[in-house]
Amino acid sequence: MKRIRVLIERGKDGYSAYAENVRKIYGIGDTVQDVKKNVLECIEIVKSFDDKNIPAALKGEYEIIWKFDVESLLEYYKGIFNQTGIARLTGINEKQLNHYASGLKKPRPAQAKKIENALHKLGGELLAIEL
């Protein structure tokens, strides 16, 4: 199955998104939900083009991988995860995480991967819980 990698980024006026590996797929919105909906609408519009203008990735089955830059991820989930909790999960200094969340600094790729791995580990642990 083909994978369409859509990067979601926060800007001054809301969120924007674009497919990193497929042309013609973009979206904007006030919230992450809005931008995702806008991307899906964009995909439907692109799929209605003449066959020769439809990117190959949109022909047949595909899945969408929603990616975030670190700043957007921390902003989006701030009501669920606070910097203290993320610092505890990742071992990254809370002050440094605040710099990432505010956009004051950008994390090095290794730091971004550390955050991603810690959240995936947490997700795996949560999936294993039964109540």
Side-chain angles (χ1 to χ4, degrees):
M1 182 180 305
K2 296 168 242 156
R3 297 177 128 198
I4 300 172
R5 300 177 68 81
V6 178
L7 179 63
I8 298 172
E9 299 176 319
R10 183 181 69 161
K12 288 191 302 186
D13 298 327
Y15 290 88
S16 63
Y18 64 93
E20 294 179 317
N21 60 335
V22 180
R23 297 177 300 110
K24 303 178 183 178
I25 298 176
Y26 303 94
I28 58 170
D30 292 331
T31 67
V32 170
Q33 290 84 2
D34 289 344
V35 80
K36 284 181 175 183
K37 181 179 175 191
N38 195 245
V39 166
L40 295 174
E41 289 169 354
C42 179
I43 288 171
E44 290 306 311
I45 291 169
V46 171
K47 287 170 55 177
S48 72
F49 293 171
D50 292 334
D51 193 54
K52 66 180 180 178
N53 291 316
I54 299 173
L58 295 179
K59 296 176 182 178
E61 291 188 32
Y62 58 87
E63 71 175 317
I64 298 173
I65 306 300
W66 300 103
K67 291 181 60 178
F68 284 88
D69 64 350
V70 172
E71 177 184 347
S72 300
L73 176 98
L74 294 174
E75 171 64 24
Y76 180 61
Y77 286 106
K78 74 179 178 186
I80 298 169
F81 299 113
N82 61 30
Q83 304 325 27
T84 304
I86 294 175
R88 194 173 305 136
L89 288 171
T90 63
I92 298 172
N93 181 291
E94 188 175 342
K95 187 174 181 180
Q96 191 67 33
L97 288 168
N98 285 327
H99 289 305
Y100 297 159
S102 70
L104 186 63
K105 293 185 178 181
K106 298 282 185 199
R108 295 184 320 266
Q111 292 290 81
K113 192 67 176 170
K114 195 174 197 180
I115 295 167
E116 179 182 332
N117 289 339
L119 293 173
H120 286 178
K121 182 180 177 205
L122 174 63
E125 291 172 5
L126 292 173
L127 286 171
I129 292 174
E130 289 185 11
L131 301 175

